[in-house]
Amino acid sequence: MHINGVEIEDTFAEAFGMWGSRLIVTGDDLGWARTAAEAATGFATSIIGCGCEAGTNDLASGEQTPDGRPGVAALVFTTSRKNMEAALLQRVGQAVMTCATSACYNGLAADEKVRIGGKLRYFGDGFQRSKLLDGRRLWRVPVMDGEFVVEESFGVARAVGGGNFFMMARSLSAALAAARAAVAAMRAVPGAIMPFPGGVVRSGSKISSRYKGQNVSSNTPYCPTLRGQEDSSLKEGENAVLEIVVDGLSEAAVAEAMRVGIAAACLPGVTRISAGNYGGSLGQFHFALRDLVST
Amino acid sequence: MGCIACAALVFDGASVTLTRKESSSIPVEADSICPDRFVGCGQTEIAELPAYYGRRKVTLGDLFEVDGYGADNVIVSGDLKAVKKIGQGMTHGRITVTGDVGPHLGASMSGGEIVAEGAAGDWVGAHMSGGRIVVKGDAGHFVGAAYSGETRGMRGGTIIVGGNAGREVGGRMRRGLIVVLGDTGEFAGAGMLAGSVFVGGRLGGRPGAGMKRGTIVAFGEAPELLPTFRYACSYRPVFLSCYLQSLAATGLVESSALPDGEFRLYVGDMNSGGRGEVLIRDQSE
């Protein structure tokens, strides 16, 4: 199968069950809201080294923030509910509360919840106040620019992490152009984020290493500089590979993000679109590339 | 004074209509006019529910024409100025009062909605713990307040008054929201323990006297506060924007009736711990 002359390989991306939360971060203007959300989702590229994966997402079309101010959604993914509580406490406490004019609300209706504002409120040193509005408890923590408003609890729900696809290209510039186009399209999908810098990862990994104690190492079959030294998965004329990893609040969100991303990435200079998997035996979710793009 | 958007009432399914047979100034106690009491009752059973006419025990059928059946939608019409306790203790359903109504409307209710198209007497929503009361006209004294001798008044829910309200709105309230789009009498929020009172018009004198916690917001004219309140700062409270968004979403309050903006924050009452707050909107904006 080809799109615009780009081969779509007959393979699938293998993704895993995770836990997801959605925060709505607001500020006096969109700039401050985005600053707070990006700070909270910074250094959250991979569960392995960061404890969570996170990214920002525009609000859904027509979605109002609880306080009516400009806002941005921040999606956070972890491997367990308990890890989510730890991650949100750190990130809301250190990155959102510290950001001028910010406020933080739950953006995910879910049965399971983790207490975040209910713990961060102690920063108020006894002067915190709460309001119960429409069944949601809001904490008002005194800070130097007024008050930091944070919701008592945040919803946590089962989610999907690790959707992915590779873009093989004749040149790095062609790979970058494809990646930029793909990420721009994928960012418009509600409930999905690309946790790596700029939404793109260049240091794809394999789960083995020649060094003791090192669990993962560079994805050598896809490194163009190693062609000739190692078994290569690259074809003749392929000189750069970039990967996009997708986490989503639902299987449908990941599938939709991959679909629009692949379609946007099929640009001149791109030779193939492929995906990473472990033979299908590890991940609960399989996203067949050809099925995605033919829907 | 602001206004309540006149959202048409939509009734699904069956409803009961009670129409007062005659006008009288003799007080009627009609706490049996309550969806909870109508559950499983036909027209005859509803007509046999008890009421007091003065000190005389009567039935609803003696005082009202009863039409229809079902518990979810109750419509009460006629001269109700002397009819007390409509919707007292209700937990679900909806009561619509087509004109003015007497005291204790929705007192101690915990769920459902009451809409009074006209004015209401004293003690609207006293001790209520949930649900919503909308009074499109004026309300009397002690809206959402605690009865004499009780330590806590309203504990939850929302009361919206489209007109003016009398003295001690939210007196000793513990939780919930009272919105008065018009003016209030003296001692709004007196002895408040928590909760919120929003006043769109002129806030009466001595607001928050003895309040321990809670929030009184004056969107319009405000009196000089008691000397036991201290000025803290001028700021734009984000939590208040959340309330205003929520109220706007109900379609019952126009955003111009309770405008957002910069507020002067006063904390008090220092005689009672000083954890309460009175926010007064900066009229220069």
Side-chain angles (χ1 to χ4, degrees):
Chain A
M1 174 188 270
H2 289 77
I3 298 176
N4 297 337
V6 179
E7 180 189 356
I8 309 297
E9 282 203 333
D10 186 12
T11 187
F12 63 93
E14 190 169 354
F16 300 85
M18 296 183 86
W19 288 85
S21 271
R22 182 172 183 265
L23 322 179
I24 295 175
V25 181
T26 66
D28 256 15
D29 57 43
L30 190 58
W32 280 116
R34 201 173 287 288
T35 297
E38 286 177 352
T41 55
F43 188 57
T45 55
S46 164
I47 286 284
I48 299 167
C50 309
C52 70
E53 296 180 5
T56 59
N57 208 202
D58 288 342
L59 297 182
S61 165
E63 183 178 7
Q64 278 276 5
T65 61
D67 57 26
R69 301 188 302 167
V72 175
L75 272 55
V76 181
F77 297 87
T78 59
T79 51
S80 72
R81 187 184 166 285
K82 190 178 171 190
N83 289 351
M84 181 63 79
E85 183 168 327
L88 292 187
L89 272 174
Q90 271 190 331
R91 287 165 186 276
V92 177
Q94 297 300 316
V96 183
M97 184 166 72
T98 56
C99 182
T101 78
S102 70
C104 192
Y105 308 96
N106 176 33
L108 181 67
D111 293 336
E112 296 220 39
K113 292 192 184 300
V114 291
R115 275 182 79 215
I116 303 302
K119 293 183 176 175
L120 292 176
R121 69 184 168 111
Y122 294 109
F123 185 73
D125 200 25
F127 293 97
Q128 66 273 19
R129 303 166 189 265
S130 82
K131 288 289 176 191
L132 191 62
L133 177 62
D134 300 332
R136 302 163 75 154
R137 184 169 293 284
L138 302 175
W139 284 100
R140 302 162 54 196
V141 180
V143 287
M144 294 191 298
D145 74 351
E147 286 174 338
F148 171 54
V149 175
V150 58
E151 194 158 341
E152 161 98 3
S153 301
F154 287 73
V156 187
R158 292 194 181 277
V160 179
N164 67 82
F165 63 91
F166 296 155
M167 294 154 289
M168 286 76 164
R170 296 188 196 286
S171 65
L172 178 57
S173 59
L176 286 171
R180 271 196 291 266
V183 169
M186 295 167 81
R187 282 198 168 133
V189 177
I193 52 119
M194 289 65 71
F196 284 96
V200 185
V201 54
R202 67 173 183 177
S203 59
S205 58
K206 64 179 185 294
I207 48 172
S208 64
S209 168
R210 68 177 63 192
Y211 298 110
K212 198 175 171 184
Q214 179 85 18
N215 297 325
V216 295
S217 62
S218 190
N219 197 358
T220 48
Y222 288 96
C223 293
T225 57
L226 299 182
R227 189 157 36 196
Q229 299 175 63
E230 279 274 302
D231 287 341
S232 180
S233 297
L234 299 180
K235 293 182 180 176
E236 186 66 30
E238 293 177 337
N239 292 304
V241 181
L242 290 174
E243 181 183 359
I244 295 180
V245 174
V246 193
D247 298 332
L249 292 173
S250 67
E251 190 176 359
V254 173
E256 176 62 7
M258 287 182 63
R259 187 186 70 78
V260 300
I262 292 168
C266 292
L267 297 176
V270 179
T271 56
R272 274 190 300 153
I273 302 289
S274 186
N277 62 61
Y278 307 93
S281 56
L282 291 179
Q284 301 157 251
F285 303 97
H286 298 167
F287 298 94
L289 300 187
R290 291 185 175 180
D291 290 349
L292 287 176
V293 296
S294 60
T295 54
Chain B
M1 186 193 307
C3 73
I4 290 183
C6 300
L9 300 176
V10 178
F11 299 111
D12 294 323
S15 62
V16 180
T17 302
L18 302 172
T19 308
R20 186 80 195 268
K21 288 179 175 172
E22 57 188 34
S23 293
S24 169
S25 59
I26 295 175
V28 172
E29 285 199 19
D31 55 342
S32 53
I33 301 178
C34 176
D36 300 70
R37 302 286 293 273
F38 291 2
V39 172
C41 291
Q43 197 166 307
T44 311
E45 287 97 333
I46 291 171
E48 288 171 354
L49 288 172
Y52 277 93
Y53 181 66
R55 62 181 184 174
R56 191 154 55 89
K57 193 169 185 179
V58 295
T59 65
L60 287 183
D62 294 332
L63 303 172
F64 295 89
E65 297 285 354
V66 180
D67 187 26
Y69 62 91
D72 283 345
N73 291 315
V74 178
I75 302 165
V76 195
S77 59
D79 180 8
L80 305 168
K81 285 178 190 159
V83 180
K84 306 182 200 175
K85 300 185 179 180
I86 289 178
Q88 178 170 289
M90 71 184 274
T91 64
H92 73 282
R94 180 171 190 156
I95 297 176
T96 304
V97 179
T98 59
D100 296 346
V101 65
H104 306 282
L105 179 72
S108 301
M109 71 184 279
S110 59
E113 182 176 45
I114 300 175
V115 177
E117 302 282 354
D122 298 342
W123 303 107
V124 171
H127 291 263
M128 75 183 282
S129 58
R132 184 166 71 191
I133 302 175
V134 178
V135 177
K136 295 192 175 179
D138 295 338
H141 304 303
F142 313 115
V143 174
Y147 289 138
S148 299
E150 298 284 349
T151 55
R152 294 175 179 187
M154 181 178 177
R155 286 158 220 200
T158 303
I159 302 173
I160 301 174
V161 178
N164 301 325
R167 293 163 55 94
E168 292 191 43
V169 172
R172 281 168 284 158
M173 72 184 286
R174 172 68 183 80
R175 189 176 290 140
L177 171 64
I178 301 173
V179 179
V180 179
L181 297 180
D183 305 338
T184 59
E186 288 191 313
F187 292 105
M192 266 178 98
L193 303 170
S196 305
V197 174
F198 295 175
V199 180
R202 182 169 43 79
L203 177 64
R206 301 171 180 82
M211 73 190 296
K212 290 185 175 175
R213 288 178 180 269
T215 305
I216 300 169
V217 185
F219 290 85
E221 194 184 325
E224 186 177 346
L225 297 184
L226 292 168
T228 47
F229 281 78
R230 291 181 188 158
Y231 173 74
C233 70
S234 291
Y235 79 131
R236 190 177 284 263
V238 173
F239 84 93
L240 191 57
S241 303
C242 295
Y243 274 90
L244 300 180
Q245 284 280 114
S246 172
L247 284 168
T250 65
L252 294 167
V253 179
E254 289 177 3
S255 56
S256 59
L258 301 176
D260 207 348
E262 193 94 7
F263 287 80
R264 297 196 307 278
L265 169 64
Y266 295 84
V267 292
D269 184 329
M270 293 302 165
N271 281 340
S272 304
R275 294 296 179 92
E277 59 187 353
V278 177
L279 288 155
I280 300 173
R281 188 171 184 276
D282 186 349
Q283 300 298 323
S284 64
E285 273 196 49

